[in-house]
């Protein structure tokens, strides 16, 4: 699209048949390519030595444990199995429920079900969008096997407060820290809280390992158990030591990619910060749109989240449809919330009015390696145009719907 967005007519919007603003779609994923030479250098032992695979994974575990100020890191084939294994290993035996937020990752309840636990969904705090000690405590009881704290997509949950709450109730606590790899909470590095924390190395995450995941913990016994669970449930002698053993190892190639990504983190964070600053600058004049501010320091500035406030003149679904048709692949924040999803497994029915209201308002915006400041200016101008022409746009969309 060559003409400035502001000078378009309604017909020129892609949703009404006009040319798309972005010929190459702009996604909400990170997709950061590492320094290729560095990746190859880390991967070299794979072809050079017999124990290359184990050597690289060992190095990756060592470097990631140090990065998170944790005593141990156990690498997994992805975040899903890292979480499932940690849940299974930590849940108190004889108890049936795992307490978790509903406004979170779409597979979270499925993971709990794999571990044969019933999700009990709690509310989230309206400011942080995270479960807090105040929203978790009413859900704790005699059936609670585990508390699962989850860091939201922007900023962090109160990891120290949740850990203290779990300890007070004599419960284990695990964190899903997939979205808070780089952050510090209460003066401590994320990765060193609770009984354990889980991370993903999926290509869309802050550290791109193509695929992969890992658990950090300060508990040596738990670390040994998770390593055995991941390696077919067997101990060093080959005897079965964990009955639910998986084949969930991280490959050396993925570990090499993750190591190269870790080395390049500072440059990536600088770029993310520039993206965030560009959104802040360009969205500021657009009424009805609130950019969710990063309040944690340090932070990776990885994801861009906006709230459509009461002043915003269109529905969120229509706004996302307009952005998507232009090639700006914005998407609804954690929608639907988990307690609203159809579940074929046992769960505790939940009435969560605060979550229901929050689940309608937030939108994740394009960001990451393939988005630049010019793209953001165009997205902000598009939103400004949409706001200024909302009445005409809504009428056309309604007419189309009725046709
Ligand atoms: C919050 C959260 N937890 C866990 C996962 C699972 O990680 P993986 O994709 O590596 O299995 C994801 C993946 O998107 C996630 O966003």
């Amino acid at each position: 699209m060559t003409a400035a967005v502001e000078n378009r007519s309604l017909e020129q919007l892609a949703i009404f048949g006009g040319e798309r603003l972005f010929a190459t779609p702009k996604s909400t994923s990170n997709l950061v390519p590492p320094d290729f030479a560095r990746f190859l250098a880390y991967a070299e032992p794979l072809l050079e030595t017999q124990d290359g695979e184990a050597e690289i994974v060992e190095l990756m575990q060592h470097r990631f444990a140090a990065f998170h100020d944790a005593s141990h890191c156990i690498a997994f084939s992805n975040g899903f199995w890292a979480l499932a294994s940690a849940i299974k290993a930590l849940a108190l035996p004889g108890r049936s429920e795992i307490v978790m937020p509903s406004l979170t990752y779409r597979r979270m309840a499925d993971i709990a079900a794999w571990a044969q636990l019933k999700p009990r969904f709690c509310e989230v705090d309206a400011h942080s969008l995270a479960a807090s000690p105040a929203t978790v405590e009413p859900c704790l009881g005699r059936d609670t096997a585990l508390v699962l704290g989850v860091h939201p997509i922007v900023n962090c949950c109160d990891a120290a407060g949740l850990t203290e709450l779990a300890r007070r109730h004599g419960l284990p606590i695990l964190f899903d820290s997939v979205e808070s790899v780089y952050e510090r909470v209460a003066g401590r590095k994320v990765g060193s809280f609770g009984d354990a924390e889980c991370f993903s190395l999926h290509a869309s995450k802050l550290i791109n390992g193509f695929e992969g995941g890992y658990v950090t913990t300060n508990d040596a016994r738990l670390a040994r158990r998770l390593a055995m669970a991941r390696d077919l449930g067997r101990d060093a002698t080959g005897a079965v030591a964990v009955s639910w053993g998986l084949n969930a190892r991280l490959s050396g190639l993925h570990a090499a990619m993750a190591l190269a990504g870790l080395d390049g983190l500072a440059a990536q964070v600088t770029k993310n910060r520039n993206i965030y600053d560009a959104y802040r600058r360009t969205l500021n004049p657009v009424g009805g749109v609130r950019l969710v501010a990063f309040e944690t320091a340090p932070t990776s500035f990885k994801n861009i989240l906006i709230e459509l406030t009461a002043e915003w003149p269109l529905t969120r679904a229509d706004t996302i449809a307009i952005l998507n048709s232009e090639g700006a692949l914005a998407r609804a924040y954690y929608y639907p919330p988990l307690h609203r999803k159809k579940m074929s497994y046992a769960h505790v029915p939940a009435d969560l009015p605060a979550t229901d209201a929050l689940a309608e308002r937030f939108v994740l915006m394009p960001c990451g390696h393939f988005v630049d400041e010019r793209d953001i200016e165009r997205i902000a101008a598009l939103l400004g145009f949409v706001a200024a022409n909302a009445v005409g746009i809504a009428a056309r969309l309604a007419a189309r719907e009725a046709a």
Side-chain angles (χ1 to χ4, degrees), residues 78-80 83 105 176 178-179 200 202 205 212 334:
N78 51 49
F80 184 105
L83 262 170
Y105 172 53
D176 178 315
V178 166
E179 298 293 357
S200 168
H202 184 263
K205 303 301 179 216
Y334 288 143

Side-chain angles (χ1 to χ4, degrees), residues 179-201:
E179 298 293 357
S180 288
V181 176
Y182 195 74
E183 278 68 12
R184 291 182 89 86
V185 179
R188 273 170 58 193
K189 199 87 190 191
V190 168
S192 62
F193 284 90
D195 291 290
E197 301 197 38
C198 295
F199 300 84
S200 168
L201 294 167

